[in-house]
Amino acid sequence: MERRDSAEFEEKRRRILAGALRVFAEKGYQRATNREIARAAGIGSPGLIYHYFESKGDLFRQVFLDRLPFLKIVGEGRVGLDGPPEEVLPAVARAVAAGMLEDEEARTFWKLVLAEAMRNPEAAAIVNEVGPGRMMDVMTGYMARQMERGALRRMDPAAAVRCFAGGLVLYFVQREVLGQEAALRATPEEMVAAVVSVFLDGMRPPAPEGE
């Protein structure tokens, strides 16, 4: 009975997350209401949301986390952040690109996230906490370790992460927000390969003196 209750709890929680994603993507964080989210999730009462999530902010945080394959693959151990950059960085870049571009719902959601973060301090704080802020911490630690091992040339590891992620974020903005033709012609796979190649070429450690 306990296993069945647990499965039902998780199934309803997933329905609320899916409904909230649709409403947040359509209305934005500020204008989305629990009544609309409950209707989209197919649950009877808006008050039921609080059996699964502490607040509207907590629900938005969980929806956002659900759209971050980078954190999922790290958390599930599918990419160990102890391997060489030639293995880890392509996997991370593919996860970031997939999270932003995998389907129309994802693209709509991320455009909404950018807009909400610019005009709503509460949403911006949530986004930074579970998205860019956490990714920066994880990847800065990884870059620093690789620099210590001599796999990457030494520089500010946080600046290195910004350089690495910046190409993918700019590609998303040019493609999905500005609709630039050149960005629309470039596939996510091509951009991932280009970003990784340019970054690794630029971060190659200098050859020892005398070589």
Side-chain angles (χ1 to χ4, degrees), residues 94-167:
R94 284 193 295 270
V96 171
M100 293 190 295
L101 296 164
E102 64 182 342
D103 53 40
E104 184 60 34
E105 196 171 65
R107 293 190 290 272
T108 300
F109 177 70
W110 278 98
K111 283 186 278 189
L112 219 298
V113 163
L114 290 175
E116 286 292 312
M118 291 179 66
R119 65 176 174 245
N120 187 319
E122 182 183 358
I126 294 171
V127 168
N128 186 58
E129 173 198 345
V130 300
R134 188 178 299 189
M135 180 178 178
M136 278 296 299
D137 290 343
V138 171
M139 291 304 296
T140 297
Y142 172 77
M143 295 289 189
R145 290 192 300 275
Q146 296 305 309
M147 291 173 192
E148 287 291 330
R149 294 170 182 173
L152 298 174
R153 70 177 178 86
R154 289 182 181 273
M155 64 173 293
D156 178 352
V161 178
R162 293 187 184 99
C163 291
F164 174 67

Side-chain angles (χ1 to χ4, degrees), residues 19-193:
L21 172 60
R22 291 195 294 273
V23 176
F24 285 139
E26 179 184 351
K27 300 278 188 175
Y29 173 73
Q30 196 68 37
R31 294 191 300 124
T33 67
N34 284 348
R35 184 175 300 279
E36 290 168 325
I37 292 170
R39 188 182 304 117
I43 62 175
S45 166
L48 284 176
I49 292 172
Y50 293 111
H51 288 283
Y52 300 87
F53 303 95
E54 295 177 3
S55 63
K56 181 180 174 183
D58 180 46
L59 177 55
F60 183 71
R61 181 182 294 106
Q62 295 304 317
V63 169
F64 193 69
L65 280 169
D66 209 45
R67 281 286 169 180
L68 291 176
F70 163 73
L71 295 178
K72 287 183 180 180
I73 65 171
V74 172
E76 295 170 5
R78 284 185 278 154
V79 172
L81 290 183
D82 202 42
E86 294 78 9
E87 295 178 4
V88 171
L89 296 184
V92 169
R94 284 193 295 270
V96 171
M100 293 190 295
L101 296 164
E102 64 182 342
D103 53 40
E104 184 60 34
E105 196 171 65
R107 293 190 290 272
T108 300
F109 177 70
W110 278 98
K111 283 186 278 189
L112 219 298
V113 163
L114 290 175
E116 286 292 312
M118 291 179 66
R119 65 176 174 245
N120 187 319
E122 182 183 358
I126 294 171
V127 168
N128 186 58
E129 173 198 345
V130 300
R134 188 178 299 189
M135 180 178 178
M136 278 296 299
D137 290 343
V138 171
M139 291 304 296
T140 297
Y142 172 77
M143 295 289 189
R145 290 192 300 275
Q146 296 305 309
M147 291 173 192
E148 287 291 330
R149 294 170 182 173
L152 298 174
R153 70 177 178 86
R154 289 182 181 273
M155 64 173 293
D156 178 352
V161 178
R162 293 187 184 99
C163 291
F164 174 67
L168 294 171
V169 174
L170 179 60
Y171 169 62
F172 176 82
V173 172
Q174 290 177 331
R175 178 187 174 100
E176 299 299 327
V177 179
L178 302 178
Q180 292 184 2
E181 288 189 16
L184 290 167
R185 287 196 300 269
T187 67
E189 293 80 10
E190 290 170 339
M191 280 306 304
V192 164

